[in-house]
Amino acid sequence: MKFSIEWLKYFLETDASVQEIADTLNAIGHEVEGIEDPAEKLAGFTVAEVLTAGPHPDADKLQVLSVSTGGGEPLQVVCGAPNARAGMKGVLGQPGAVVPANGMELKKSKIRGVESNGMMCSVRELELGEEHDGIIELPGDAPVGASFAEYHAASPIIDVAITPDRPDCMGVMGIARDLAAAGLGTFKPVEADEIAGEGACPVEIRTDDAEGCPAFCGRVIRGVSNGASPEWMQRRLKAAGQRPISALVDCTNYLMLAFGRPAHVYDLAKLSGPVVARRAKDGEQIEALNEKTYTLDDTMTVIADDAGVHDVAGIMGGEHSGATEATTDVLLEIAYFDPARIGVTGRKLGLTSDARTRFERGVDPEFLDEGLAILTSLIVKTCGGTPTEVVRAGQPPVAPKVVQFDPARTAKLGGVEVAEDRQRAILTALDFKVGSDWQVTCPPRRHDIEGPADLVEEVVRIEGLDKVASVPLTRAPGVAKPTATPEQLVQRKLRRAAAARGLHEAVTWSFLPVPDAEHFMDDGALWVLDNPISEDLKAMRPSLLPGLLTAAKRAADRGAAGARLFEIGRRYFRGEGGHSDERATLGLVLAGEKTPRGWANGKAQGFDAYDAKAEALALLEAAGAPVDNLMVMGEAGPQFHPGQSATLRLGPKKVLARFGALHPATLKAFDIDGPVVAAEIFLHAIPAKKNAEFARSTYSPPALQPVTRDFAFLVDSAMPAGDLVKAVRGADKQRIVDARIFDRFDGQGVPEGKTSLALEVTLQPGEKSFTDEELKAISDAVVKAAAKTGAELRA
């Protein structure tokens, strides 16, 4: 939020410098994001008088001016403005000055052969407005030779970040109140002029949505003249970054920026029948002031008449009922809207505005009559007109909150010793009413005060956050003990292992668009947020793969040939009884090129399901899973390609991971070119190691060399090869240390429906070498174990 020091001093009597004001704002919790001094941009620009104006000898649209700066010889300036003439006063930029609009440094130069000593400036060139058809024309009493920055009363501008819990400081008056409480001056509250209305309001005003709009006030002003707003008002609005539009609109913007109270002005001639705050009807539409059309539903509060909707309540008015230059009679609207309803409506419509920012945080419910009186006064003084009596519909929630406060908690919670009298003075300066028994009555505008801890915060920030001493945490003597949990240690190992295998870690949103989340939801129900940061991010993710796929697509769209991404995070499910169920998971996606094209391997090679399986097994091993005991079973889910995916399990029901190529329908849903392979490792399902607290025994390599034996079996073609490998390894767990398939054959000599699988079995002798009898016994055990799977020894 921006405001000028001149505007601040309208509410705060102070002699503090700009830097002192900024330092105090930072000290009391309002972070200053920037300080801008317009006087610095206007350095080198002077109030000047045009003495003579004659035609340029070599250009029809240029004039040669003789300009006085109040001392010395007049300066010759070439000017192309149509309004330049002898006797007028304007702004001269002399050589060395920098034009604010374009950063150009003015120099003495020749224009079409005629020397020019600077430039007579327009409003746009000095960034004082949008007019550029002619040069600035100052009043006749403007002092020639004076600095234009001083004449223009350019005031420094402060840009301050207001935290969401302080809507009472979304106006300059609220900032001034906080600064006064901090001892930087005296707060000057603005008292509205009492303007008695003449006659009853000709428009019926009511609220039919007491939940969305508890209170709705208004009055009519007849006979207004809507021109330009006063210079002082335009100056303050520009300092706040607001473009002046017209007197009527500027008055409402001034009320919002000065007092934090949005309001609206309707052209009375464009209204028909009662003006009502009500729920919208499904399918109703409104063309808003931003010239966009929005479709409404019955959860939204609107302001409407017999003809239809004129205002998305608390967010933005309609285009067709706004005030114009031809407006003569207006209806003023000032209301209190439910903050939660405003927030939901704004997010649904994707519509933001200054009014929404204030209403959804919570405006002052007491500032209705006073706000309407101030707005009426501004309009009558600026545009003239005769107001009617005020109509009040509904009742705002003005019941004050009372908090029982113990001043001793300030030292306990805030770490600062503050005398009770000082605490009472601080709270009183912030407009809290403190009883003798420390019953504190909060002003209704302070929606952020919920309990004693919030009052401690108020006292501490005004007393000075820099007075809070830095106190180190107590530490046990000796060497610090490890604090990482077993789960954190496993995740550290996995991150290192994944990075070592060439995967890049990604961090994606824990929220997904609902269609993406539903695509990866196999069973159960989604967690959907009632108050999401975006309508596109409202479902808690049931899988890490959607976020990784989105990241891979983004990389591909930007020209990346391939993506190897992984992420460790949590998946979210709605458990029994509606309780949240969070599960730690590692997800990985391999997309694009595995190896680029080249002379050695020809075309670029993509990833396949076996690449995903290899990554899953390697990472499971790094996590401490018993990979030798894993079973490859079934399909990985409807998101994966059938026949090119599977799960890794410990037994039929305990799934540790799933892997494979993603289904073409999944790739189409995420608009990503395939093939793409992926895997998910369910970290919560990995069994904990037994006796994990004891140190691992020292590794000693075997004294004797291993022995290998090859076997070939005929198996059913439909049987998973992993089943045969697992059976062979289990034939003699002490002496068989490894078994792997090195050949697969279908063809001549192999019966139809059968496949020949060749295995290399590694045997490790212990204290002595194997005898022939021992080797034969092991071979027989291998054949017998394989036969249990239906395998038949071939050779």
Side-chain angles (χ1 to χ4, degrees), residues 405-703:
F405 184 58
D406 179 4
R409 298 191 68 176
T410 301
K412 183 178 180 181
L413 294 181
V416 179
E417 292 285 351
V418 183
E420 290 190 11
D421 290 346
R422 171 62 176 157
Q423 294 190 51
R424 186 183 296 272
I426 289 174
L427 293 174
T428 302
L430 291 171
D431 210 19
F432 293 87
K433 294 179 175 61
V434 185
S436 58
D437 58 351
W438 286 97
Q439 290 271 358
V440 179
T441 303
C442 309
R445 65 175 170 274
R446 292 304 302 270
H447 304 277
D448 57 308
I449 304 300
E450 296 183 355
D454 299 309
L455 297 178
V456 170
E457 180 185 357
E458 292 301 293
V459 171
V460 171
R461 73 180 182 88
I462 297 298
E463 180 68 11
L465 294 172
D466 54 343
K467 295 182 180 180
V468 179
S470 298
V471 180
L473 296 174
T474 57
R475 179 171 178 239
V479 178
K481 295 181 180 180
T483 58
T485 65
E487 180 183 356
Q488 290 172 328
L489 293 174
V490 169
Q491 292 182 8
R492 288 178 187 176
K493 290 180 181 178
L494 284 172
R495 284 189 171 89
R496 294 190 183 100
R501 294 184 64 82
L503 300 175
H504 300 280
E505 185 171 12
V507 179
T508 65
W509 288 104
S510 296
F511 317 107
L512 297 174
V514 171
D516 291 0
E518 289 177 340
H519 190 89
F520 274 86
M521 193 72 191
D522 294 329
D523 53 24
L526 286 176
W527 272 116
V528 179
L529 303 182
D530 290 334
N531 188 23
I533 58 175
S534 166
E535 281 297 307
D536 292 334
L537 297 172
K538 64 188 301 183
M540 302 294 286
R541 62 185 180 192
S543 169
L544 271 65
L545 297 185
L548 292 173
L549 285 174
T550 301
K553 171 179 167 47
R554 190 179 299 114
D557 290 346
R558 284 156 178 76
R564 302 166 182 249
L565 303 176
F566 82 95
E567 180 177 10
I568 298 176
R570 293 186 177 274
R571 300 177 297 140
Y572 302 90
F573 302 89
R574 188 187 293 272
E576 295 183 4
H579 297 294
S580 174
D581 185 8
E582 301 181 13
R583 303 173 191 172
T585 305
L586 183 148
L588 65 92
V589 165
L590 307 175
E593 296 180 357
K594 177 182 177 181
T595 56
R597 64 180 181 175
W599 64 269
N601 55 2
K603 294 182 179 180
Q605 302 296 314
F607 296 97
D608 59 26
Y610 292 106
D611 294 311
K613 180 183 179 182
E615 298 297 337
L617 287 172
L619 295 175
L620 279 169
E621 185 174 11
V627 293
D628 291 340
N629 299 330
L630 293 179
M631 304 166 59
V632 180
M633 295 180 63
E635 307 295 345
Q639 305 86 5
F640 289 80
H641 201 299
Q644 298 182 33
S645 61
T647 59
L648 296 171
R649 308 188 183 206
L650 279 175
K653 296 183 178 180
K654 196 172 185 64
V655 180
L656 267 60
R658 62 175 178 169
F659 67 88
L662 292 178
H663 196 285
T666 299
L667 301 181
K668 182 179 180 180
F670 286 85
D671 192 25
I672 184 171
D673 294 331
V676 177
V677 301
E680 277 190 305
I681 298 175
F682 309 125
L683 303 181
H684 68 282
I686 298 175
K689 289 186 177 180
K690 296 180 180 179
N691 299 325
E693 67 273 11
F694 296 104
R696 183 180 299 176
S697 59
T698 304
Y699 171 74
S700 59

Side-chain angles (χ1 to χ4, degrees), residues 217-266:
C217 301
R219 76 191 315 175
V220 166
I221 302 180
R222 297 186 182 277
V224 299
S225 177
N226 189 20
S229 56
E231 190 276 335
W232 65 266
M233 183 180 291
Q234 292 194 32
R235 184 174 66 248
R236 292 178 182 179
L237 292 176
K238 290 175 184 177
Q242 190 79 40
R243 180 176 63 88
I245 298 173
S246 67
L248 289 172
V249 176
D250 291 353
C251 285
T252 61
N253 287 335
Y254 183 86
L255 183 76
M256 176 180 66
L257 296 172
F259 302 94
R261 161 52 70 176
H264 195 65
V265 173
Y266 299 94

Side-chain angles (χ1 to χ4, degrees), residues 204-469:
E204 179 186 353
I205 294 174
R206 70 175 191 266
T207 174
D208 293 347
D209 181 12
E211 180 183 352
C213 179
F216 184 11
C217 301
R219 76 191 315 175
V220 166
I221 302 180
R222 297 186 182 277
V224 299
S225 177
N226 189 20
S229 56
E231 190 276 335
W232 65 266
M233 183 180 291
Q234 292 194 32
R235 184 174 66 248
R236 292 178 182 179
L237 292 176
K238 290 175 184 177
Q242 190 79 40
R243 180 176 63 88
I245 298 173
S246 67
L248 289 172
V249 176
D250 291 353
C251 285
T252 61
N253 287 335
Y254 183 86
L255 183 76
M256 176 180 66
L257 296 172
F259 302 94
R261 161 52 70 176
H264 195 65
V265 173
Y266 299 94
D267 188 331
L268 187 63
K270 299 175 182 178
L271 301 176
S272 60
V275 177
V276 184
R278 62 166 173 84
R279 293 285 185 96
K281 301 172 185 176
D282 279 334
E284 275 191 307
Q285 292 187 327
I286 179 175
E287 183 183 0
L289 287 171
N290 60 3
E291 299 182 351
K292 294 181 180 180
T293 300
Y294 296 92
T295 302
L296 313 174
D297 63 43
D298 60 4
T299 67
M300 303 173 183
T301 302
V302 297
I303 307 298
D305 64 2
D306 290 344
V309 176
H310 290 284
D311 192 344
V312 182
I315 300 179
M316 189 172 289
E319 177 69 27
H320 59 283
S321 60
T324 65
E325 293 181 358
T327 298
T328 57
D329 301 323
V330 294
L331 171 67
L332 311 188
E333 170 242 297
I334 188 165
Y336 181 84
F337 300 107
D338 176 60
R341 180 77 62 80
I342 296 296
V344 171
T345 300
R347 286 189 294 274
K348 282 185 176 180
L349 299 178
L351 185 56
T352 59
S353 67
D354 289 333
R356 173 191 165 184
T357 299
R358 288 162 174 80
F359 274 122
E360 72 177 339
R361 296 182 181 189
V363 299
D364 185 356
E366 283 189 319
F367 198 77
L368 287 172
D369 285 346
E370 189 176 359
L372 185 58
I374 293 173
L375 181 59
T376 302
S377 177
L378 286 171
I379 291 177
V380 170
K381 291 178 179 178
T382 303
C383 306
T386 303
T388 66
E389 296 175 354
V390 176
V391 177
R392 300 173 180 85
Q395 180 63 39
V398 294
K401 178 177 291 185
V402 179
V403 177
Q404 180 63 54
F405 184 58
D406 179 4
R409 298 191 68 176
T410 301
K412 183 178 180 181
L413 294 181
V416 179
E417 292 285 351
V418 183
E420 290 190 11
D421 290 346
R422 171 62 176 157
Q423 294 190 51
R424 186 183 296 272
I426 289 174
L427 293 174
T428 302
L430 291 171
D431 210 19
F432 293 87
K433 294 179 175 61
V434 185
S436 58
D437 58 351
W438 286 97
Q439 290 271 358
V440 179
T441 303
C442 309
R445 65 175 170 274
R446 292 304 302 270
H447 304 277
D448 57 308
I449 304 300
E450 296 183 355
D454 299 309
L455 297 178
V456 170
E457 180 185 357
E458 292 301 293
V459 171
V460 171
R461 73 180 182 88
I462 297 298
E463 180 68 11
L465 294 172
D466 54 343
K467 295 182 180 180
V468 179

